Amino acid sequence: MKTNAVVVERVTTDSKLFAHTRWDAVPVVAGLLHCAYFFGMFYLFPRAPLWVMIILGLIYSISISWNINGISHNFIHNPYFRSPVLNRLFSILESISVGFSQIFYECIHMQHHKGNADLPDEHGETVDWISIYKHGHDGDAEHPFKYAFFSFFREDPKTVFQELKRKDPREAFWGVAELTLFVTTFVILGILNWRYICFLLPFYYFGHSLSYLNGYYRHYGGNPNEPLAWGVSSYDKLYNWTWFYNGYHAEHHFRPKVHWTRMQAFRDQIIEQQRAAGVRMIKPPHALGFLDPNLPPHPKSGSMREEPHPI
């Protein structure tokens, strides 16, 4: 069977609220709870001991990566609501919760799918703005912790805005509006309690770094030249149940529009093709990918051009 011949079943529903399935109520509620948690931390800051706030801050950091890679990511590919107004409002809510424009994230992520973690060309450029190979050397991926902790500062809102404006000036406007709303929210919180915003910002940065670390191991050891093997998958059940099947990343890159509720069934459909293509899998969740016992050699200690661990 040719890989391009795979037929993907689209989920449908008769719900007047949800566009694809009523199961999307789960990530929607999770997104609402995440936003409530964000503002709840501000309420608790002057009332709870510091050690409690540090624990809550670490949970907030993890929740940023959880939201970006689960709730927000699935929303990009399959917007949850039938109503454009509700999708717009949820996009704004997500922007405030994770501290970055959902529309800008969508633009970056769709560029990621255009390049699929591609290797640099002769000029050192990649189609994928966040490719793990972009700042690597000799065709190897960048060091994972450098990628995780430096990528936040490499984000280029100007380039994203220009791309959005080229495609759809209206979406570019809303992207800037979302950035303005989240920055305004942080500024207001800082005016109300400057100590709180000083406390929050390191956890905010750490959360986005964790998101990049998650993204790194979704491609480290994959094959940029083989569509079926662009991504690296993790099939840990608890991880996929709580992160809305974010672990099925090889499957996702092969068919990005497959709904999160259909990922396991889709994998069952193409598993023999994946094995033939050498799709890589890791045992732990992506954020803990460095603990996988079968990782390719570190870029500084050897080439990544080894046979992938079979799926």
Side-chain angles (χ1 to χ4, degrees), residues 153-165:
F153 302 104
R154 295 168 179 161
E155 292 176 354
D156 185 4
K158 182 179 179 182
T159 298
V160 179
F161 172 77
Q162 291 172 342
E163 180 66 13
L164 279 169
K165 189 176 180 181

Side-chain angles (χ1 to χ4, degrees), residues 9-184:
E9 178 187 356
R10 299 282 290 170
V11 293
T12 57
T13 180
D14 59 358
S15 171
K16 294 182 179 180
L17 179 62
F18 295 103
H20 304 284
T21 169
R22 290 179 173 86
W23 278 107
D24 280 335
V26 179
V28 168
V29 170
L32 292 169
L33 290 174
H34 187 222
C35 189
Y37 184 91
F38 171 72
F39 287 107
M41 282 178 46
F42 175 76
Y43 173 80
L44 289 173
F45 184 73
R47 297 170 175 84
L50 180 60
W51 68 269
V52 171
M53 290 307 304
I54 290 175
I55 293 173
L56 293 177
L58 289 172
I59 293 173
Y60 173 63
S61 295
I62 295 170
S63 74
I64 289 176
S65 179
W66 165 73
N67 192 327
I68 290 174
N69 293 287
I71 302 165
S72 182
H73 175 237
N74 284 318
F75 182 61
I76 286 174
H77 293 282
N78 294 291
Y80 298 137
F81 301 103
R82 292 192 185 276
S83 167
V85 173
L86 288 179
N87 282 325
R88 181 70 69 193
L89 290 174
F90 191 77
S91 181
I92 293 171
L93 179 138
E94 283 291 282
S95 300
I96 293 172
S97 298
V98 303
F100 190 71
S101 166
Q102 173 72 17
I103 292 173
F104 274 47
Y105 171 42
E106 178 177 355
C107 182
I108 294 169
H109 187 70
M110 297 314 290
Q111 191 71 24
H112 171 61
H113 275 283
K114 286 182 181 179
N116 295 290
D118 56 324
L119 298 169
D121 61 19
E122 62 272 16
H123 305 292
E125 297 297 323
T126 56
V127 175
D128 178 1
W129 296 332
I130 56 174
S131 173
I132 64 175
Y133 302 101
K134 185 176 179 68
H135 298 279
H137 300 284
D138 301 321
D140 287 328
E142 185 176 13
H143 189 282
F145 292 101
K146 185 180 177 184
Y147 180 85
F149 290 104
F150 281 44
S151 290
F152 179 86
F153 302 104
R154 295 168 179 161
E155 292 176 354
D156 185 4
K158 182 179 179 182
T159 298
V160 179
F161 172 77
Q162 291 172 342
E163 180 66 13
L164 279 169
K165 189 176 180 181
R166 182 186 67 82
K167 292 180 177 178
D168 188 341
R170 186 168 178 267
E171 285 300 287
F173 165 80
W174 277 108
V176 172
E178 288 178 346
L179 284 176
T180 303
L181 284 170
F182 109 73
V183 170
T184 300

Side-chain angles (χ1 to χ4, degrees), residues 239-250:
Y239 169 44
N240 282 292
W241 290 342
T242 54
W243 290 58
F244 305 102
Y245 287 79
N246 179 65
Y248 288 71
H249 205 64

